Amino acid sequence: DTAVSQTPKYLVTQMGNDKSIKCEQNLGHDTMYWYKQDSKKFLKIMFSYNNKELIINETVPNRFSPKSPDKAHLNLHINSLELGDSAVYFCASSQGLAGEGEQYFGPGTRLTVT
Amino acid sequence: GESVGLHLPTLSVQEGDNSIINCAYSNSASDYFIWYKQESGKGPQFIIDIRSNMDKRQGQRVTVLLNKTVKHLSLQIAATQPGDSAVYFCAENRYAGGTSYGKLTFGQGTILTVHP
């Protein structure tokens, strides 16, 4: 059984388009995250939600809007896509909200903006 | 600025050798550290963690050492196997000033290649 799943796995789109990435976890965790990994493998947190409430919002452009309809889902919507948005986006979840303990990562969504 | 970084971006070893991956951190307020392994095309996978009140922790074939004096973290992998080939990240956690939540800051990553 997949613990943290993301769709789609690959996403190719043109500049200016709007796209969404979906994430679901079946671990019963309270906290979910979005990370961005650039071409140099640098992994940086974007958002964190705990029980549908936003608790971490790093300096991410407001073109990125996370939405958590319930604690098992955290979707990421991106408006007006730019070339610099090309990256691999990872969803993750954990039981606590303190940043401690294991975070379970999804397989990633490779976004390519042309 | 405050950051977590790695001394060596790549490490090549022979199968059966021991591997040591290093990480330097600059934030003395960090109180929790984690090592993750990321295989090609997959998400990071937890390996081992350590709190700042410890200086050593062992898992299966892995040992993490923490030297708070010089702000250094290392991951030792015993009897390295080809399946250990991956990118390894250290990450630090720090509570955000009085809040109940922390966030992980990841280092750059070290590419470990194990030759048969």
Side-chain angles (χ1 to χ4, degrees):
Chain A
D1 288 341
T2 303
V4 182
S5 59
Q6 298 177 227
T7 55
K9 187 167 177 61
Y10 299 97
L11 184 54
V12 181
T13 188
Q14 292 183 328
M15 287 174 55
N17 285 348
D18 303 338
K19 291 293 179 184
S20 293
I21 306 172
K22 295 185 177 181
C23 178
E24 177 181 2
Q25 55 96 3
N26 62 7
L27 298 166
H29 287 164
D30 293 332
T31 307
M32 296 185 71
Y33 313 81
W34 277 109
Y35 288 86
K36 178 180 180 180
Q37 186 171 48
D38 63 22
S39 59
K40 297 181 180 179
K41 296 288 187 180
F42 185 67
L43 194 62
K44 183 173 171 60
I45 190 168
M46 300 172 68
F47 301 102
S48 174
Y49 270 72
N50 178 259
N51 277 319
K52 303 192 295 177
E53 180 182 349
L54 179 67
I55 58 172
I56 292 176
N57 183 345
E58 290 296 284
T59 51
V60 178
N62 57 16
R63 299 182 295 105
F64 290 78
S65 52
K67 286 186 172 54
S68 183
D70 54 62
K71 76 172 193 178
H73 295 83
L74 180 61
N75 303 323
L76 184 64
H77 187 76
I78 314 170
N79 289 326
S80 302
L81 279 155
E82 301 177 357
L83 293 176
D85 297 332
S86 295
V88 180
Y89 291 84
F90 287 100
C91 177
S93 73
S94 66
Q95 183 55 47
L97 54 71
E100 297 184 357
E102 182 174 357
Q103 292 187 16
Y104 292 79
F105 284 78
T109 296
R110 182 174 293 277
L111 171 65
T112 302
V113 183
T114 62
Chain B
E2 297 172 337
S3 65
V4 176
L6 293 167
H7 292 303
L8 299 173
T10 61
L11 178 64
S12 293
V13 300
Q14 290 296 125
E15 182 177 3
D17 287 350
N18 295 332
S19 301
I20 300 176
I21 300 171
N22 296 302
C23 176
Y25 66 95
S26 59
N27 189 342
S28 58
S30 294
D31 52 12
Y32 178 70
F33 303 88
I34 308 179
W35 281 99
Y36 277 88
K37 170 187 179 184
Q38 185 177 20
E39 296 176 86
S40 181
K42 298 183 179 180
Q45 181 180 13
F46 175 92
I47 302 174
I48 192 168
D49 58 1
I50 189 167
R51 295 185 183 279
S52 58
N53 61 353
M54 303 170 67
D55 54 19
K56 180 180 180 179
R57 191 163 188 222
Q58 288 183 295
Q60 187 176 10
R61 284 201 305 119
V62 295
T63 300
V64 55
L65 299 178
L66 175 62
N67 185 330
K68 293 181 288 293
T69 301
V70 296
K71 298 188 185 69
H72 185 267
L73 191 69
S74 68
L75 177 70
Q76 300 178 0
I77 305 174
T80 316
Q81 303 167 2
D84 294 327
S85 294
V87 179
Y88 288 80
F89 295 93
C90 65
E92 62 172 329
N93 181 69
R94 180 167 62 93
Y95 282 84
T99 64
S100 60
Y101 61 86
K103 67 175 184 179
L104 286 183
T105 299
F106 282 79
Q108 183 181 12
T110 291
I111 301 172
L112 174 65
T113 303
V114 183
H115 301 283

